Amino acid sequence: MKVPRVTLEQWRVLQSVVDKGGFAQAAEALHKSQSSVSYTVAKLQEQLGYPLLSIEGRKAQLTERGEVLLRRSRHLLKEAVELEQLAHTLGQGWEPELELVVDQVFPTPALLRALKAFEPQSQGTQVQLREVVLSGGTEALTLGNPDLVLSSIVPKGYLADPIVEVEMMAVASPDHLLFQEEGPINNERLSHELQLVIRDSAVESSVDVGWLGTERRWTVSSVQSALEIVVSGIGFAWLPKADIFDELNSGKLKKLDLVSGGDRNFYLYAIFGKGERTGPATRLLVDLLQAECNVCPKPSVSGGI
């Protein structure tokens, strides 16, 4: 690999001369002698083989080539500083990358707020986010080595903290035939209607949770797909309250009045995939997720028990 002849310090001096408006001002800002600054810029131009600055009166002005190179050098110095910060971060034990596996029923608004708060505090840690359904989180732990899994199923041998109670609600479009029923709806009546079921993302050990056991069902791969289909007036489904907040309040969805089981609650856990080797970035994200889950808004509902 070719070794660069120009140093980062030379680019830094050039930037200072331009930003401060002259060699004397740059020398003062850099705590160098003016002759040292002049020599650094002269050497830089000599190495490149053409001038980067032209002197107009007492002020140094960039040439056209100088403008192009100065812009690139600013990015170069910024990346060099970030590289040093990353090296410092790694020395403190911060993860360079955080693999996050999230069950799709985790409240999306809280997840997004937590990730937004995490980014400026992450110290360069990159997040790899993967969404799963049901036992997909357990499979991710079995087949890989994720830093954090947000799931309702905690496999044996893993450390976990309860992070949020998920509320699932049986809903349909207000135009659905089920809303023409008088009184609460029982399971027998419900089984005659099309149910939207979200497919377990695990390959090895998938399960169906919440399915009534009838042949009238459509299986989809995501909460969002189920939500869009149900809003369109096709079928009914149990969906996370946090993700249907707007649809409930706008009247696009309505809670079904069931004899029982209209609401289903369960906990999601923060499962530390690396146990005691869990890094500070992962612990920070868990703290932010717990904080955001505590302020999740509660949707108003109509047509329910």
Side-chain angles (χ1 to χ4, degrees):
M1 184 174 61
K2 189 175 180 180
V3 178
R5 294 182 298 165
V6 178
T7 66
L8 292 174
E9 179 62 15
Q10 286 175 294
W11 291 120
R12 187 171 79 97
V13 171
L14 175 66
Q15 289 179 21
S16 186
V17 170
V18 173
D19 293 342
K20 300 301 179 183
F23 290 89
Q25 297 93 320
E28 182 179 355
L30 295 172
H31 305 290
K32 295 177 178 287
S33 66
Q34 185 171 340
S35 60
S36 173
V37 170
S38 299
Y39 174 80
T40 300
V41 174
K43 185 66 176 177
L44 171 60
Q45 294 179 117
E46 179 187 331
Q47 289 171 311
L48 295 176
Y50 49 81
L52 301 176
L53 293 171
S54 61
I55 306 301
E56 298 180 9
R58 293 186 176 183
K59 193 169 183 179
Q61 298 288 342
L62 283 167
T63 63
E64 289 186 7
R65 290 175 176 175
E67 288 180 358
V68 173
L69 291 176
L70 182 67
R71 284 197 299 270
R72 292 294 298 273
S73 73
R74 292 191 191 280
H75 291 297
L76 180 64
L77 281 175
K78 181 175 181 291
E79 289 179 358
V81 170
E82 290 176 351
L83 179 61
E84 288 187 3
Q85 290 174 341
L86 176 58
H88 177 68
T89 294
L90 294 177
Q92 293 182 318
W94 280 75
E95 305 93 309
E97 184 175 283
L98 193 163
E99 184 180 352
L100 172 62
V101 179
V102 185
D103 193 302
Q104 287 189 17
V105 298
F106 191 94
T108 302
L111 176 63
L112 295 179
R113 290 195 303 268
L115 289 173
K116 183 177 181 180
F118 174 77
E119 197 280 329
Q121 303 179 59
S122 65
Q123 300 194 35
T125 298
Q126 296 184 359
V127 175
Q128 298 290 337
L129 173 62
R130 179 155 63 97
E131 291 185 303
V132 295
V133 178
L134 294 173
S135 53
T138 301
E139 185 173 82
L141 289 164
T142 303
L143 301 179
N145 193 27
D147 295 277
L148 181 63
V149 175
L150 306 178
S151 173
S152 61
I153 306 169
V154 183
K156 290 182 179 179
Y158 284 93
L159 299 174
D161 289 336
I163 194 164
V164 66
E165 185 177 18
V166 174
E167 302 172 86
M168 304 288 285
M169 177 188 289
V171 292
S173 165
D175 299 326
H176 197 283
L177 287 174
L178 286 170
F179 289 110
Q180 297 178 10
E181 297 291 320
E182 293 184 4
I185 304 164
N186 59 33
N187 277 1
E188 183 181 357
R189 173 66 185 91
L190 202 60
S191 66
H192 293 300
E193 300 297 332
L194 179 68
Q195 180 183 0
L196 273 294
V197 178
I198 302 165
R199 180 185 294 111
D200 191 327
S201 62
V203 176
E204 300 294 332
S205 57
S206 61
V207 295
D208 288 315
V209 174
W211 176 42
L212 293 178
T214 70
E215 293 301 320
R216 297 211 65 192
R217 69 164 178 170
W218 286 4
T219 305
V220 297
S221 60
S222 69
V223 171
Q224 186 60 37
S225 296
L227 170 58
E228 292 174 1
I229 294 172
V230 173
V231 166
S232 74
I234 303 173
F236 70 95
W238 274 268
L239 295 173
K241 284 185 183 180
D243 287 332
I244 58 175
F245 181 88
D246 291 337
E247 287 76 12
L248 286 170
N249 286 340
S250 66
K252 292 181 180 179
L253 286 180
K254 191 175 178 182
K255 181 180 179 182
L256 289 169
D257 185 4
L258 305 184
V259 171
S260 64
D263 293 292
R264 297 174 176 174
N265 295 11
F266 57 90
Y267 272 97
L268 286 179
Y269 297 84
I271 306 168
F272 300 98
K274 295 180 179 176
E276 294 179 353
R277 296 181 291 110
T278 298
T282 302
R283 296 187 184 280
L284 169 63
L285 181 55
V286 170
D287 289 342
L288 293 171
L289 286 166
Q290 288 176 325
E292 293 300 338
C293 287
N294 287 333
V295 296
C296 284
K298 303 296 181 185
S300 60
V301 297
S302 57
I305 344 179

